[in-house]
Amino acid sequence: MTDSTWHTVTVRIPFTNNQHATIAKQVIDVDVELQKDAVKRTLTVEGDELIATFQTLTIRLARLTVNGFLENVDLVIRTMSEFGKQAGHSERSKTAEDE
C-alpha cells in the first residue's frame, strides 16, 4: 500500500517537566506495536510534552492504538504520582545515611 492510505494521528501529552515526559517516553517505548505492518508509532519529547504520532492502515486501528497508548500514559502518570514522592524520599534518606 502507498503512504496515502495511511491514517495519521498525533497526540501531545503535557507533563509537569521534561524529566517526567522523558521517563514516560522511555517506559512506553519498550512496548512494541503488535501489528508492526499495520501500525507505525513515533514517540518524541519536546520540552515538557510527550508527542506520539501513529500511522495506521485503518481508522479502527488508529482508535484502538491511541486508546491503548492513552491507557499506558495513564498508568505511567499514576505510577509516577504514587511512587515519585517515595522514590525521592528514599533517595534523600539514602544520601543522609551515607554521610
Side-chain angles (χ1 to χ4, degrees):
M1 294 190 170
T2 64
D3 284 340
S4 62
T5 62
W6 291 83
H7 303 277
T8 302
V9 177
T10 299
V11 180
R12 300 176 80 90
I13 309 291
F15 283 84
T16 55
N17 57 50
N18 177 272
Q19 182 183 14
H20 287 171
T22 301
I23 290 169
K25 177 190 179 296
Q26 292 170 341
V27 169
I28 294 170
D29 235 358
V30 298
D31 293 330
V32 296
E33 292 298 329
L34 298 177
Q35 299 183 33
K36 293 179 184 180
D37 57 332
V39 177
K40 298 175 186 176
R41 177 184 69 190
T42 304
L43 296 178
T44 58
V45 173
E46 288 182 13
D48 62 354
E49 287 187 325
L50 173 62
I51 302 167
T53 301
F54 302 94
Q55 292 182 305
T56 62
L57 289 177
T58 66
I59 293 173
R60 179 179 180 273
L61 269 176
R63 179 181 56 82
L64 293 172
T65 301
V66 170
N67 187 46
F69 170 74
L70 292 175
E71 288 176 0
N72 285 340
V73 169
D74 180 57
L75 179 61
V76 169
I77 290 170
R78 286 188 289 122
T79 302
M80 284 194 290
S81 295
E82 183 70 26
F83 296 104
K85 293 177 187 173
Q86 293 175 5
H89 177 70
S90 295
E91 189 63 33
R92 282 191 295 273
S93 297
K94 184 178 179 182
T95 302
E97 292 171 5
D98 290 342
E99 293 178 355

